[in-house]
Amino acid sequence: MSGLGELDRPGASGGPDTGPDARFDAGLDARPDARSDAGVGPDRRGPVGARRAAADPVKALMHRHRELCERAVDPLEIAAGLEAHGVTDRTAARFRHRDVFSLAEEMYARVPRDADAPPPAVPPAPPRPRLDRALLTLLPGALCAAALTGVRLTDGRTCLLVAATGLLAVALAVHATLRRGPLSGPRRAHHGLRTEAWTCWLIGYTALGDGLLRAAVDGGPDALPDGTSGGPWPFAAAPLLTLTLACAPAAWSAHFLAVRARRRLNSSRGLEEFAAGVQPLLLAALALFLCALTALTALCAAVLGEPADYAPVLTLGALLFLARLLTVHGFSHAPAVVIAGVGAAEVLAPATVFAGRLPGCGFLATPVESLLAEWGPAGIPALVCASAALILLIHASRTLTRASAHVRSDQPC
């Protein structure tokens, strides 16, 4: 959006009003192009142009953001672009409009367009879900179920080969889901591979991490995991299957939020009204996903004959879901940092226990052993993931309630 960055440029200091709106007005008045557009006197002096610019301030604003106005497909895109760069309803009032939405409607209506390409009469409908992308969300769970079945039906080297093949297939399926499915973010998003690697690590920790931590505290592990929950390195299959199957309800919940937020954007008449309407939708999408994840946790535990560990699965599921929501809407930095921090914490927990075996380093394992004695091995990842999910929820409630987060997307659902 050419010219939008100038909205954040500070104005002259020393005046009585130095807030964002004052900086915006100062930048507008100082723009020489606004004077040339509005017209100047024959002697090239400023007062005539200044009076005309003051009489039609919207024209000067349109000149500053000509590219945004010309390429917008509806007034909502202009409103979202202005809102993303700090224009508030209070700023719109200085342009003789009640809110940013009505200001954007005038800017959109006044942009000259070719007669052969009339503007759309109504806002475009949100994209419908594509069958191939919906089926892609089922692939990680299906491959994980097949791999677990193969591990339970084989033994020895065959079992190890089946487990390695299944692990690779599930990782590739998760990669495809996060890159090309409805849970994929914009192509310009950074941190993609790192975030996917940490995501696979967090999902894998639910299957092997708690068993490794318990075995490390007891002096082990004495052997590699054998795919059972009673071995020297216990393997928990139910959380792994639950989280891979949860890709489908995560995509449905994300689509639920996107469609209803877009409808709210079409019907809202102000930024505050839109934010107040989207925040319950965000919480409803999260609650919908957690309900589905709870049902999957109970179902997978019953089918595989394992205890249902709700706390670590639900907290990790909430963390990953909020991270994908933010990434889908273009906010990829905070999820990447938070997920990497959680992954590092889960690496650090068993590492401190092993480091505590060194002479004179027993104090390193004391914090983890204390938490383990108080809450059990599942308490540590649950505590870390719950704290991180709360941070992302607060961040999402501030970013996903902006109009700019729900502008038209070229990415199909």
Side-chain angles (χ1 to χ4, degrees):
M1 299 180 184
S2 176
L4 281 177
E6 295 174 10
L7 291 175
D8 296 329
R9 184 178 61 191
S13 59
D17 189 359
T18 58
D21 296 328
R23 292 198 302 269
F24 175 80
D25 290 339
L28 179 60
D29 295 338
R31 180 78 173 183
D33 295 331
R35 187 170 62 249
S36 63
D37 263 11
V40 295
D43 55 354
R44 308 300 296 173
R45 292 178 184 174
V48 176
R51 285 196 300 271
R52 294 187 182 178
D56 190 5
V58 177
K59 184 176 181 180
L61 183 65
M62 291 173 59
H63 179 78
R64 294 184 63 195
H65 310 301
R66 182 176 61 251
E67 182 181 349
L68 169 65
C69 296
E70 290 177 350
R71 74 179 185 184
V73 297
D74 55 32
L76 298 175
E77 189 166 345
I78 298 178
L82 295 176
E83 183 261 355
H85 290 80
V87 180
T88 64
D89 291 342
R90 178 184 171 189
T91 309
R94 302 191 179 191
F95 288 90
R96 302 170 187 173
H97 283 271
R98 64 182 181 274
D99 51 45
V100 176
F101 281 55
S102 61
L103 174 61
E105 286 175 351
E106 179 181 348
M107 294 172 65
Y108 180 77
R110 292 176 60 176
V111 172
R113 291 181 174 82
D114 297 336
D116 297 335
V122 294
R128 298 179 62 86
R130 285 176 44 178
L131 181 60
D132 56 340
R133 291 177 178 267
L135 292 177
L136 185 60
T137 61
L138 300 174
L139 187 59
L143 291 177
C144 183
L148 291 177
T149 302
V151 168
R152 293 202 168 193
L153 294 178
T154 57
D155 53 12
R157 293 185 176 179
T158 305
C159 176
L160 184 60
L161 180 61
V162 170
T165 304
L167 178 63
L168 179 61
V170 171
L172 291 176
V174 171
H175 171 77
T177 301
L178 299 184
R179 281 290 172 146
R180 300 187 177 277
L183 295 176
S184 60
R187 288 185 180 142
R188 67 180 183 274
H190 303 292
H191 320 290
L193 289 176
R194 271 188 309 178
T195 303
E196 291 173 17
W198 281 117
T199 299
C200 291
W201 161 259
L202 292 176
I203 294 175
Y205 186 91
T206 62
L208 295 169
D210 293 347
L212 174 63
L213 193 58
R214 173 64 74 184
V217 171
D218 294 338
D222 299 325
L224 294 175
D226 56 3
T228 64
S229 58
W233 185 341
F235 177 81
L240 180 62
L241 181 60
T242 300
L243 290 170
T244 52
L245 289 174
C247 290
W252 301 335
S253 301
H255 183 70
F256 166 86
L257 176 63
V259 170
R260 279 152 184 81
R262 183 66 186 179
R263 290 176 184 171
R264 178 71 64 175
L265 184 62
N266 292 335
S267 61
S268 296
R269 298 307 309 165
L271 299 178
E272 294 182 358
E273 178 186 347
F274 174 75
V278 170
Q279 194 156 14
L281 293 176
L282 172 63
L283 297 178
L286 178 60
L288 182 65
F289 171 72
L290 290 179
C291 288
L293 188 60
T294 302
L296 284 175
T297 302
L299 177 63
C300 293
V303 169
L304 296 176
E306 297 180 2
D309 292 330
Y310 290 100
V313 174
L314 292 180
T315 53
L316 177 57
L319 170 64
L320 296 179
F321 176 68
L322 290 170
R324 292 319 301 177
L325 270 186
L326 288 165
T327 302
V328 164
H329 291 278
F331 304 97
S332 60
H333 178 70
V337 172
V338 171
I339 287 182
V342 173
E346 293 189 351
V347 170
L348 191 61
T352 56
V353 175
F354 288 121
R357 299 179 182 179
L358 298 175
C361 297
F363 67 93
L364 294 175
T366 301
V368 174
E369 291 175 350
S370 301
L371 291 175
L372 196 65
E374 186 70 23
W375 295 336
I380 295 177
L383 177 63
V384 175
C385 291
S387 303
L390 181 60
I391 293 173
L392 285 188
L393 179 60
I394 295 173
H395 181 61
S397 66
R398 298 181 60 184
T399 56
L400 298 185
T401 55
R402 299 175 184 171
S404 55
H406 303 278
V407 193
R408 281 171 50 86
S409 174
D410 296 330
Q411 175 185 327
C413 290

